[in-house]
C-alpha cells in the first residue's frame, strides 16, 4: 500500500518548519507574477512603507488585507498584480541621519551634502532589503521583480517631468508666503503634517496705549487678548471690525506696541469678530495666517522675529537670542512691570505640532515653492462625486470632499537634503530660472555656465502622489504595465493618510494621465476604482500602541511566537473598513489555535483515506442526511464568502469560514463520519476530502501557509482536477446552488439539538464524563433521521442504550429528567445518571446546610437592634444573602424530589 501523506503530518502545526520553505517554493514557481493575458486585470499598488528601519503592526495589517485580496483574485482567475515598493520618507530618514551625526558631535553642514547623502543611501539600502524580507515573512505574494522605490531612476524621471509640466502650465510657482515651520527639523511642513494637541496656556490681556495726533501717549488703552505675547514685537497693526461702535473713532489713529514702543495704525477689517474677546486684534502678519491675510489686504509691513531654530532674532529687540518659552516669560514680566498687563486668564487651546518631530510649529514667512492646487482638485472632486472612485466605507467620501473643497495651495519645498532635489537652476549672471528634466550645464536664457541648483528638496508626498502611475511605467505611455494595469482596482490604506496621500494620488494621477486617456491608451485617468480605508491597530486596552509603555506588538516577534497565519488571522478577524481594532495576545492565541485545529482536523480526515477509496463525490440525492447537511452548509458559507469579499468585509468572511470548519465540520461531521468509517462504511471519504479541499481554498487568502502545506498533502491523495500544482494558483471555489439543501440542514440540526440537550442534562446533573447514560429521543418529525443517526448520537452524547421513539407516550415520564425542544424532546432516566442513594445523601447534606444558613439569617434580620443600627447597605446585603440561600434551598429540595 502507498503511504498516506497525512501520516507524515506532525501532531501539531509547526509554522517555523513550514513558512520559509513554502514561501520559497511560491516565489521560485513564479506564482506572484501576473501571467494571464486573457483574463481581467486586478491590480493593487502597495502603499510604500517608510524606509525608517522596521515594519510595525500597521504595515502587517496592510499586508494581510492586500494579500488576502490579491490571493482571492488570483484564485478567481484574474490577472493579479500586487506591485510592492518603498518610500524614501524624506523628513523621517533625514532626521535619523542627523541624529546619528549629533551623537558624533557633528551636523550635516559639517560633513557636506555629498557625504550626508552617502550615509543616507547606506542606511536606506540596508533598510530596504530588511523590509522586503519582513514582507516575505508575513506571506506577501507581491511581484518582487517589479518592486519600486520613490528615489529610483524611474521615479526620478517621473518627478522631474511632473514638476516641469506643472511649472509650464503655471501651476507651480515660487513665492514668499506664510508657512508652517518645524524648528527642530528646520523645514517647512504642509498643513496636513501639523497635528493639533490641546495645551494648557493662558489669555494675556495686554494694554496698547492710544496715541494722540502728535504721537504722545494718552491715558486710554486698547486691550487685546493674546495667547502668544512673545510675538508682540512683530505687531504691525491693531484691527477692529468696521461695525464695532466701541472703536469706530479709533480707526486711523495710532497705538503703541508694548515692549518695543512702535506706533502702529488701528485698521478696520471684517475678519475681526465683534464678540470675540475685546473686539480688537493684534495684527502680526509674519506669524499668524489670519493676520497675514489681513496684512495683504491692508499692505502692512511684515516683521519676522524668529530664527530658523525657533529662537528670537534681532527684530525682537532685547528678547533676541531667547527661545520662545523664555521670551514669553520675560515679555509678560516686562508687561506687568510697565502696568500694561490688565489680567491673565487660564486657557486651553489647540496648538499645532509637527507630525514628524512633535515640535510646536511656527507660522513663518518664507520663500518657498507652491502648487496652485484648485485646478488639480476640481477634477479629483468630480471623480468621486460621479462615482468613478468609491470609498469603503462610504462615510470617508464626505471627509474627502470636505477637505478637497476647502483645499489651500500646497507648499512642496522642504529645507532638507534627502529627497528629490527641486529641478530648478538659477543663473548667477541674469537671474533666470531653468527648470530641467536633466541637469543643465548652462542657462537657457543667457547661455552662461554660472548656474546653481535650488538647495531644497520636494515634499515626500510629491513623489508618493505619482505612485499609482509612475510604478507602472509612466511617463512612458507605451509601457506595457501602464496599458495593462492602469487604472488599478483598489488602493488600500489607513484612514489617517486620506489627505496626506490618497487625495494627492488622485489629483496628480488625473493630471498626468489625461494625455493617456486622450490617446486611447487607458480608459480612465483615475488611479484606482476603490479606496479601502482600514483603521488603526491599537493595544489591547484601546490605547495607541507604545514601545515605551510596552503595549506595542512587534509583528515579526508575533510571527516567531505564533506563526504568520496566526498574526494574519488576528489582524483580519478584527478588521472592519474604517474602524480601529485592538490586538491582544488572546487574539493571536486564537489564530494559532485555529491553525492547529485546521491542521489536526485535516490530518485526521485525510488520514482515513486508503488505497482504492473512490473519492469522487457521488450524486447528493443518494447521500445520507449528514453528508447533504455538511455540503449544504459548505456551499452556503462559500456563497456568503464570495459576497462578503466583494464588499471588502474580510473579517466576516473569515469568521464564517472559521466557524463552519471548526464548529460544524470538525466538531460534528468528522465525529459522525468517524462512526460510519469505523463500522466499515467508506462513503464519507469523498465528502471529507471534498470539504477539506474547499475549506482550504476558502481560507487560503487569509491563512496561506498552513492551507498550502495541508493542500499539498491533499493533492497527493486527490489531485486538483484543473491540474494546479499549488493552492496559491488553484481555483477559488464557486458555490454550487444545487448542493444547498435546506431540508437536510433542518433534519441534521434536529439531531444536533437532541445531542446538545443530552449533553446539557449531563452537565446540569454533574454526570461523570466517561459514564454512559440511557436516553430516550422523542422526535415527532425527526424520528427517522434520529434513527438513522442513532450510532452517531450514541457516540456524541455517550448515550447507551439509546431509544428513538415517535411520541412522548413511548417514553417514560416518571423518574426521568426531560428537556423539551422545538424538534421533540429527550428524557434521561435518573437511575442511569448516578448512584441514587449517594446522590440523596449528598443533596440531603446540602439541604441541611442551607436550612441552617436560612435560619441564622432570618434570626439576624428579625433583630431590631441589627436592622436599626447597622448601615443600610449591610442590612441589604444580608437580605440579599437570605434571598439567594432560600432560592438555592428550593432548588435542592426540587432536585431531591426529582430522584424520589
Amino acid at each position: 500500500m502507498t503511504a498516506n501523506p497525512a501520516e507524515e503530518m506532525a501532531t501539531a502545526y509547526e509554522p517555523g518548519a513550514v513558512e520559509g520553505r513554502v514561501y520559497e517554493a511560491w516565489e521560485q514557481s513564479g506564482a506572484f507574477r501576473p501571467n494571464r493575458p486573457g483574463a481581467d486585470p486586478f491590480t493593487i499598488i502597495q502603499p510604500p512603507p517608510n524606509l525608517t528601519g522596521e515594519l510595525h503592526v500597521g504595515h502587517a495589517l496592510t499586508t494581510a488585507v492586500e494579500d488576502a485580496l490579491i490571493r482571492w483574485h488570483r484564485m478567481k482567475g484574474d490577472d493579479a498584480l500586487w506591485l510592492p515598493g518603498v518610500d524614501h520618507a524624506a523628513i523621517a530618514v533625514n532626521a535619523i541621519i542627523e541624529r546619528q551625526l549629533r551623537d558624533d558631535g557633528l551636523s550635516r553642514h559639517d560633513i557636506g551634502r555629498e557625504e550626508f547623502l552617502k550615509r543616507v543611501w547606506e542606511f536606506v539600502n540596508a533598510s530596504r532589503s530588511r523590509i522586503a524580507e519582513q514582507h516575505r515573512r508575513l506571506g506577501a505574494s507581491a511581484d518582487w521583480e517589479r518592486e519600486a522605490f520613490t528615489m529610483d531612476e524611474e521615479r526620478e524621471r517621473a518627478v522631474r517631468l511632473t514638476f516641469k509640466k506643472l511649472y509650464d502650465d503655471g501651476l507651480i510657482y515660487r513665492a514668499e508666503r506664510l508657512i508652517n515651520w518645524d524648528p527642530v527639523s528646520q523645514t517647512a511642513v504642509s498643513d496636513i503634517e501639523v497635528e493639533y494637541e490641546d495645551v494648557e496656556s493662558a489669555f494675556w490681556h495686554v494694554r496698547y496705549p492710544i496715541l494722540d495726533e502728535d504721537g504722545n501717549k494718552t491715558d486710554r488703552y486698547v486691550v487685546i487678548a493674546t495667547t502668544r505675547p512673545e510675538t508682540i514685537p512683530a505687531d504691525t497693526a491693531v484691527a477692529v471690525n468696521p461695525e464695532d461702535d466701541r472703536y469706530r473713532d479709533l480707526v486711523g489713529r495710532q497705538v503703541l506696541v508694548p515692549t518695543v514702543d512702535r506706533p502702529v495704525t488701528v485698521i478696520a477689517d471684517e475678519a475681526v469678530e465683534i464678540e470675540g474677546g475685546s473686539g480688537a486684534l493684534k495684527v502680526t502678519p509674519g506669524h499668524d495666517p489670519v493676520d497675514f491675510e489681513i496684512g495683504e489686504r491692508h499692505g502692512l509691513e511684515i516683521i519676522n522675529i524668529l530664527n530658523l531654530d525657533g529662537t528670537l532674532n534681532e527684530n525682537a529687540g532685547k528678547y533676541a537670542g531667547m527661545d520662545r518659552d523664555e521670551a514669553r516669560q520675560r515679555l509678560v514680566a516686562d508687561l506687568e512691570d510697565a502696568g500694561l498687563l490688565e489680567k491673565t486668564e487660564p486657557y486651553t487651546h489647540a496648538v499645532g505640532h509637527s507630525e514628524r518631530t512633535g515640535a510646536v510649529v511656527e507660522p513663518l514667512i518664507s520663500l518657498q515653492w507652491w502648487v496652485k492646487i484648485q485646478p488639480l482638485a476640481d477634477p479629483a472632486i468630480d471623480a468621486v462625486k460621479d462615482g468613478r472612485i468609491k470609498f469603503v466605507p462610504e462615510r470617508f467620501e464626505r471627509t474627502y470632499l470636505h477637505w478637497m473643497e476647502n483645499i489651500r495651495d500646497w507648499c512642496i519645498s522642504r529645507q532638507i537634503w534627502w529627497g528629490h532635489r527641486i529641478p530648478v537652476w538659477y543663473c548667477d549672471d541674469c537671474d533666470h530660472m531653468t527648470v530641467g528634466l536633466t541637469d543643465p550645464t548652462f542657462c537657457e536664457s543667457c547661455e552662461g555656465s554660472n548656474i546653481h541648483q535650488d538647495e531644497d528638496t520636494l515634499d515626500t508626498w510629491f513623489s508618493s502622489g505619482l505612485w499609482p502611475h509612475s510604478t507602472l511605467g509612466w511617463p512612458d505611455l507605451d509601457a506595457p504595465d501602464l496599458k495593462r494595469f492602469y487604472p488599478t482596482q483598489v488602493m488600500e490604506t489607513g484612514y489617517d493618510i486620506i489627505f496626506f496621500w490618497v487625495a494627492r494620488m488622485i489629483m496628480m494621477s488625473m493630471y498626468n494621465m489625461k494625455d493617456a486617456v486622450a490617446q486611447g491608451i487607458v480608459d480612465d485617468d483615475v488611479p484606482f476604482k476603490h479606496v479601502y480605508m482600514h483603521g488603526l491597530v491599537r493595544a489591547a486596552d484601546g490605547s495607541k500602541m507604545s514601545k515605551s509603555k510596552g503595549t506595542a506588538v512587534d509583528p515579526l516577534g508575533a510571527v516567531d511566537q505564533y506563526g504568520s497565519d496566526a498574526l494574519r488571522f488576528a489582524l483580519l478577524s478584527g478588521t472592519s473598513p474604517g474602524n480601529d481594532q485592538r490586538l491582544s495576545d488572546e487574539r493571536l492565541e486564537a489564530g494559532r489555535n485555529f491553525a492547529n485545529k485546521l491542521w489536526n482536523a485535516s490530518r485526521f480526515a485525510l488520514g482515513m483515506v486508503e488505497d482504492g477509496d473512490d473519492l469522487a463525490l457521488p450524486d447528493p440525492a443518494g447521500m445520507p442526511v449528514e453528508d447533504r447537511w455538511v455540503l449544504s452548509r459548505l456551499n452556503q458559507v462559500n456563497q456568503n464568502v464570495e459576497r462578503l469579499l466583494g464588499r471588502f468585509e474580510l473579517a466576516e468572511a473569515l469568521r464564517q469560514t472559521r466557524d463552519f470548519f471548526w464548529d460544524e465540520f470538525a466538531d460534528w461531521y468528522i465525529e459522525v463520519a468517524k462512526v460510519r468509517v469505523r463500522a466499515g462504511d467508506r462513503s464519507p471519504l469523498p465528502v471529507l476530502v471534498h470539504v477539506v479541499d474547499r475549506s482550504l481554498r476558502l481560507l487560503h487568502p487569509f491563512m496561506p501557509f498552513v492551507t498550502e502545506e495541508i493542500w499539498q498533502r491533499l493533492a497527493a491523495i486527490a489531485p486538483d482536477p484543473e491540474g494546479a500544482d499549488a493552492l496559491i494558483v488553484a481555483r477559488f471555489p464557486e458555490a454550487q446552488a444545487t448542493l444547498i439543501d435546506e431540508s437536510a440542514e433542518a433534519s441534521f440540526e434536529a439531531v444536533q439539538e437532541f445531542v446538545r440537550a443530552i449533553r446539557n442534562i449531563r452537565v446540569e446533573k454533574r454526570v461523570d464524563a466517561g459514564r454512559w447514560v440511557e436516553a430516550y429521543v422523542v422526535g415527532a418529525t425527526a424520528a427517522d433521521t434520529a434513527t438513522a443517526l442513532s450510532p452517531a448520537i450514541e457516540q456524541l452524547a455517550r448515550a447507551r442504550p439509546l431509544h428513538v421513539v415517535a411520541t412522548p407516550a413511548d417514553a417514560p415520564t416518571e423518574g426521568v429528567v426531560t428537556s423539551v425542544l422545538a424538534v421533540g424532546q429527550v428524557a434521561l432516566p435518573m437511575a442511569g445518571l448516578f448512584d441514587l442513594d449517594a446522590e440523596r445523601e449528598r443533596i440531603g447534606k446540602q439541604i441541611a446546610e442551607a436550612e441552617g444558613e436560612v435560619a441564622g439569617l432570618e434570626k439576624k434580620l428579625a433583630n431590631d437592634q441589627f436592622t436599626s443600627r447597622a448601615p443600610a447597605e449591610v442590612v441589604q446585603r444580608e437580605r440579599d444573602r437570605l434571598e439567594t440561600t432560600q432560592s438555592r434551598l428550593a432548588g435542592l429540595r426540587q432536585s431531591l424530589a426529582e430522584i424520589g
Side-chain angles (χ1 to χ4, degrees):
M1 174 181 172
T2 306
N4 186 327
E7 295 173 1
E8 302 169 7
M9 295 173 70
T11 55
Y13 176 57
E14 300 172 1
V18 171
E19 292 173 358
R21 170 173 50 78
V22 167
Y23 193 92
E24 183 179 3
W26 286 334
E27 194 165 11
Q28 289 182 353
S29 73
F32 302 161
R33 293 193 299 269
N35 58 3
R36 295 169 177 153
D40 292 334
F42 180 84
T43 314
I44 297 178
I45 309 295
Q46 182 188 69
N50 289 341
L51 281 173
T52 47
E54 304 285 337
L55 294 182
H56 55 65
V57 73
H59 294 121
L61 173 61
T62 293
T63 300
V65 170
E66 293 180 15
D67 193 49
L69 292 172
I70 280 290
R71 286 178 184 272
W72 175 48
H73 279 274
R74 185 185 291 123
M75 293 177 75
K76 284 178 64 180
D78 293 338
D79 200 21
L81 168 63
W82 187 16
L83 197 152
V86 284
D87 189 277
H88 63 282
I91 291 179
V93 170
N94 204 88
I96 289 172
I97 305 304
E98 291 211 70
R99 187 163 56 247
Q100 293 174 356
L101 290 173
R102 282 197 300 273
D103 291 343
D104 295 334
L106 298 170
S107 74
R108 59 176 165 143
H109 300 287
D110 293 328
I111 64 173
R113 190 170 195 141
E114 184 176 348
E115 175 61 24
F116 179 83
L117 291 178
K118 179 182 176 184
R119 295 190 184 205
V120 172
W121 277 106
E122 289 173 355
F123 173 83
V124 300
N125 285 334
S127 180
R128 184 176 177 182
S129 61
R130 185 164 56 249
I131 285 174
E133 183 55 33
Q134 290 169 343
H135 271 123
R136 286 177 165 87
R137 292 204 61 198
L138 292 169
S141 60
D143 187 353
W144 295 107
E145 294 177 3
R146 284 177 164 90
E147 185 186 22
F149 177 33
T150 52
M151 283 289 288
D152 60 26
E153 289 183 9
E154 292 85 350
R155 262 47 68 184
E156 170 77 15
R157 182 169 164 239
V159 165
R160 286 204 175 185
L161 180 58
T162 302
F163 187 98
K164 182 166 174 54
K165 275 163 53 70
L166 289 166
Y167 181 81
D168 291 344
D169 287 346
L171 297 178
I172 280 185
Y173 62 95
R174 195 178 189 221
E176 217 177 37
R177 296 182 61 176
L178 201 68
I179 51 97
N180 302 302
W181 184 260
D182 181 343
V184 172
S185 61
Q186 295 192 27
T187 182
V189 293
S190 67
D191 289 345
I192 56 176
E193 291 171 302
V194 177
E195 296 179 337
Y196 287 88
E197 300 174 12
D198 284 343
V199 173
E200 292 183 4
S201 182
F203 257 136
W204 288 272
H205 294 256
V206 182
R207 295 169 174 169
Y208 284 61
I210 300 171
L211 303 181
D212 62 19
E213 293 179 357
D214 297 324
N216 300 313
K217 286 185 184 180
T218 68
D219 57 359
R220 298 172 62 200
Y221 301 94
V222 175
V223 178
I224 298 174
T226 179
T227 59
R228 304 181 68 212
E230 69 276 13
T231 64
I232 285 176
D235 291 353
T236 56
V238 167
V240 298
N241 191 288
E243 302 301 321
D244 195 335
D245 292 336
R246 293 173 294 176
Y247 302 111
R248 200 182 296 274
D249 65 320
L250 290 181
V251 175
R253 297 274 297 273
Q254 289 193 316
V255 298
L256 205 61
V257 176
T259 72
V260 293
D261 293 337
R262 180 173 60 251
V264 297
T265 303
V266 178
I267 61 174
D269 195 284
E270 292 180 351
V272 182
E273 296 180 1
I274 296 176
E275 297 81 10
S278 66
L281 180 75
K282 64 187 281 300
V283 183
T284 318
H287 298 289
D288 185 274
V290 174
D291 296 2
F292 177 78
E293 294 177 359
I294 293 174
E296 283 197 321
R297 288 195 291 272
H298 295 270
L300 299 179
E301 178 186 5
I302 296 175
I303 299 175
N304 172 34
I305 60 166
L306 288 176
N307 294 313
L308 299 183
D309 62 359
T311 59
L312 274 63
N313 63 25
E314 66 279 1
N315 291 332
K318 61 183 178 180
Y319 309 106
M322 300 179 187
D323 67 33
R324 292 166 290 174
D325 290 337
E326 181 187 1
R328 174 179 293 183
Q329 294 172 15
R330 288 282 299 276
L331 195 142
V332 168
D334 290 345
L335 288 172
E336 198 162 16
D337 290 343
L340 297 176
L341 185 63
E342 183 161 295
K343 63 178 178 178
T344 302
E345 294 178 322
Y347 180 64
T348 300
H349 64 129
V351 175
H353 291 70
S354 169
E355 184 261 344
R356 294 292 185 186
T357 68
V360 174
V361 298
E362 287 290 342
L364 195 70
I365 291 293
S366 180
L367 184 61
Q368 302 284 346
W369 286 94
W370 302 80
V371 171
K372 188 182 293 184
I373 207 69
Q374 201 60 53
L376 301 179
D378 289 341
I381 290 170
D382 292 341
V384 172
K385 285 185 173 180
D386 65 23
R388 286 187 290 154
I389 297 175
K390 297 183 183 298
F391 281 85
V392 180
E394 193 174 322
R395 68 177 185 271
F396 283 104
E397 178 180 317
R398 296 191 300 273
T399 307
Y400 167 88
L401 291 174
H402 176 75
W403 187 75
M404 292 289 282
E405 288 165 353
N406 295 276
I407 198 167
R408 300 167 65 127
D409 282 1
W410 173 18
C411 177
I412 57 171
S413 45
R414 298 291 181 268
Q415 289 64 56
I416 56 176
W417 285 351
W418 171 238
H420 289 280
R421 195 166 174 180
I422 290 177
V424 175
W425 285 259
Y426 305 97
C427 180
D428 297 331
D429 298 327
C430 72
D431 294 330
H432 180 76
M433 289 191 302
T434 299
V435 178
L437 297 178
T438 57
D439 294 3
T441 56
F442 58 88
C443 171
E444 65 181 5
S445 178
C446 71
E447 299 185 356
S449 60
N450 195 15
I451 60 174
H452 66 277
Q453 189 175 359
D454 196 302
E455 292 290 323
D456 291 350
T457 53
L458 287 166
D459 178 11
T460 294
W461 301 103
F462 190 94
S463 53
S464 299
L466 312 180
W467 198 240
H469 55 286
S470 69
T471 52
L472 294 174
W474 189 90
D476 180 4
L477 297 186
D478 291 327
D481 279 359
L482 193 69
K483 293 179 177 179
R484 175 67 173 151
F485 297 110
Y486 191 95
T488 69
Q489 276 61 53
V490 178
M491 172 49 63
E492 188 276 344
T493 189
Y495 66 69
D496 53 329
I497 56 172
I498 186 172
F499 308 133
F500 282 109
W501 192 40
V502 174
R504 285 169 178 167
M505 282 191 289
I506 297 173
M507 289 188 288
M508 302 288 269
S509 295
M510 293 183 72
Y511 173 76
N512 276 338
M513 290 299 293
K514 57 189 176 185
D515 290 341
V517 173
Q519 296 177 37
I521 294 170
V522 298
D523 60 7
D524 203 340
D525 54 9
V526 298
F528 27 72
K529 304 294 187 182
H530 292 90
V531 181
Y532 174 99
M533 313 298 290
H534 69 243
L536 304 179
V537 183
R538 297 189 176 275
D541 62 359
S543 64
K544 188 174 182 180
M545 285 193 177
S546 167
K547 286 185 179 179
S548 62
K549 295 179 181 177
T551 58
V553 174
D554 170 22
L556 275 301
V559 169
D560 289 337
Q561 184 174 357
Y562 299 100
S564 179
D565 289 322
L567 174 61
R568 290 169 63 118
F569 178 94
L571 291 168
L572 290 170
S573 63
T575 191
S576 174
N579 295 322
D580 294 350
Q581 64 167 296
R582 300 181 183 189
L583 183 61
S584 63
D585 288 342
E586 290 76 16
R587 290 256 306 279
L588 290 163
E589 288 165 5
R592 179 175 59 191
N593 291 344
F594 180 54
N596 271 321
K597 187 68 174 182
L598 186 63
W599 178 266
N600 285 321
S602 300
R603 180 171 68 92
F604 185 85
L606 299 181
M608 287 194 281
V609 177
E610 298 177 356
D611 275 355
D613 282 332
D614 182 3
L615 299 180
L617 206 61
D619 182 358
M623 289 182 178
V625 67
E626 63 267 32
D627 292 1
R628 290 184 285 118
W629 166 77
V630 77
L631 291 174
S632 180
R633 290 296 304 127
L634 171 66
N635 282 277
Q636 289 273 18
V637 170
N638 196 155
Q639 195 174 72
N640 292 343
V641 166
E642 291 180 86
R643 174 178 52 82
L644 291 164
L645 288 177
R647 289 163 37 180
F648 300 97
E649 295 181 33
L650 278 69
E652 181 61 14
L654 176 55
R655 185 197 66 78
Q656 290 198 22
T657 312
R658 177 262 178 222
D659 289 355
F660 164 75
F661 188 87
W662 192 322
D663 299 341
E664 298 183 283
F665 176 63
D667 283 359
W668 288 94
Y669 183 76
I670 286 181
E671 295 302 316
V672 173
K674 196 187 301 182
V675 174
R676 289 164 56 189
V677 172
R678 285 172 179 168
D681 179 3
R682 309 294 294 171
S683 65
L685 272 302
V687 178
L688 285 165
V689 171
H690 177 82
V691 175
V692 169
D693 175 74
R694 292 301 185 270
S695 297
L696 294 174
R697 293 174 192 247
L698 290 172
L699 286 165
H700 181 74
F702 308 103
M703 305 175 75
F705 289 109
V706 65
T707 53
E708 182 72 77
E709 182 73 356
I710 297 169
W711 193 85
Q712 290 296 329
R713 315 298 176 96
L714 182 147
I717 297 171
D720 180 65
E722 295 184 21
D725 60 359
L727 181 55
I728 189 175
V729 293
R731 178 71 65 175
F732 195 81
E734 294 182 5
Q736 295 173 266
T738 56
L739 292 179
I740 296 176
D741 187 336
E742 293 181 0
S743 174
E745 290 189 33
S747 295
F748 192 77
E749 284 165 10
V751 171
Q752 290 176 302
E753 286 298 300
F754 292 140
V755 172
R756 290 192 188 104
I758 297 172
R759 287 173 173 175
N760 288 341
I761 292 173
R762 295 176 63 106
V763 171
E764 289 169 8
K765 300 302 179 181
R766 291 187 295 277
V767 177
D768 184 72
R771 186 185 183 105
W772 289 89
V773 298
E774 184 178 9
Y776 287 81
V777 169
V778 183
T781 59
D784 290 345
T785 303
T787 299
L789 284 171
S790 58
I793 296 174
E794 285 184 1
Q795 291 294 326
L796 293 169
R798 292 196 71 77
R800 187 182 297 160
L802 176 69
H803 311 280
V804 180
V805 297
T807 66
D810 299 321
T813 57
E814 294 185 4
V816 297
V817 181
T818 303
S819 179
V820 178
L821 310 169
V823 293
Q825 64 184 52
V826 297
L828 275 66
M830 287 283 191
L833 299 180
F834 33 67
D835 183 319
L836 292 179
D837 290 337
E839 185 67 6
R840 287 189 193 98
E841 183 178 353
R842 184 185 69 81
I843 295 175
K845 287 180 180 179
Q846 291 184 347
I847 287 174
E849 290 172 1
E851 286 174 340
E853 189 174 349
V854 166
L857 288 168
E858 286 177 337
K859 182 178 179 181
K860 188 176 187 178
L861 289 168
N863 185 343
D864 291 339
Q865 294 291 320
F866 171 72
T867 56
S868 62
R869 293 184 180 183
E873 62 270 18
V874 173
V875 174
Q876 185 59 48
R877 185 164 60 242
E878 295 302 281
R879 286 175 177 153
D880 291 343
R881 279 183 59 198
L882 175 60
E883 184 178 344
T884 300
T885 308
Q886 287 173 331
S887 176
R888 181 161 59 88
L889 179 59
L892 288 167
R893 287 169 174 165
Q894 181 178 348
S895 295
L896 187 61
E898 286 177 353
I899 63 174

